[in-house]
Amino acid sequence: METVQKEVNILYTPYFLDPEKMDRLRWASIEERERLIAQWDEEERQEREAYRKRQARRYDNARLFLEEGILVYDPDGTISSQELYRLYRLWCIREELPLKPPREFWLHIKEAGPRHGLCYSSSLKDREGKRCRGFRGARAPQEESLNT
């Protein structure tokens, strides 16, 4: 018989390894034990979910940037590529997340943009009236909302 060893990533101390929790279980009634175990299982589930979210934010922050409502989605709005990357950099700094390099960020935005109503265009006009690349379907938020 072959045994397979799996790598286990323990993010918390399970209640059966925590002497204080085991002591509480030892002296609790049956109903109290069930309640404590259910409570600890829920805490464990929440910790795992928070860990998963942190990992997702760390590695897929361009997707989260689109989903967190930083941009104002407006069918008539436009935003230049430079302005969009500037907003992304500000957001990453505020959320303390690593920046994706511009090329990787643009690949993701061009792929995921249509799901959020963004349409890439190479013939937009920026604030000064110069021709630039960017996206239709969103606009930059007011400057005050970026600081909160």
Side-chain angles (χ1 to χ4, degrees):
M1 183 190 311
E2 238 179 89
T3 59
V4 178
Q5 188 174 12
K6 292 183 178 180
E7 183 180 323
V8 178
N9 185 6
I10 297 180
L11 305 170
Y12 63 98
T13 303
Y15 63 87
F16 54 84
L17 293 179
D18 186 343
E20 184 179 308
K21 288 183 178 180
M22 284 304 295
D23 195 42
R24 285 181 67 190
L25 281 179
R26 187 174 298 122
W27 301 107
S29 66
I30 293 174
E31 296 84 18
E32 182 68 14
R33 285 181 189 171
E34 290 173 354
R35 188 189 65 74
L36 285 172
I37 290 172
Q39 174 187 344
W40 294 333
D41 286 344
E42 178 62 22
E43 289 171 1
E44 170 196 334
R45 188 193 63 73
Q46 289 175 354
E47 286 177 26
R48 286 184 183 274
E49 185 64 29
Y51 176 77
R52 232 179 273 122
K53 284 182 180 178
R54 283 192 307 272
Q55 292 299 66
R57 289 175 67 109
R58 183 172 179 202
Y59 295 109
D60 199 9
N61 58 17
R63 178 184 58 83
L64 283 171
F65 171 73
L66 289 175
E67 292 175 358
E68 285 213 356
I70 303 302
L71 295 175
V72 178
Y73 294 103
D74 175 11
D76 300 326
T78 60
I79 186 166
S80 72
S81 295
Q82 284 183 334
E83 181 71 10
L84 186 61
Y85 194 69
R86 184 185 75 81
L87 289 173
Y88 169 70
R89 285 194 327 254
L90 288 172
W91 178 78
C92 283
I93 291 168
R94 187 179 73 197
E95 298 292 323
E96 297 177 356
L97 295 171
L99 277 171
K100 284 188 181 287
R103 182 183 174 108
E104 193 177 325
F105 176 74
W106 292 121
L107 288 174
H108 181 80
I109 295 297
K110 285 179 184 177
E111 176 188 313
R115 287 186 295 230
H116 297 278
L118 295 177
C119 177
Y120 179 74
S121 175
S122 60
S123 60
L124 295 178
K125 297 203 179 205
D126 64 6
R127 292 180 183 171
E128 290 86 39
K130 295 180 189 174
R131 190 167 172 236
C132 67
R133 296 179 184 155
F135 292 86
R136 296 182 191 281
R139 60 182 168 78
Q142 301 297 324
E143 289 296 324
E144 310 88 54
S145 63
L146 292 176
N147 298 326
T148 58

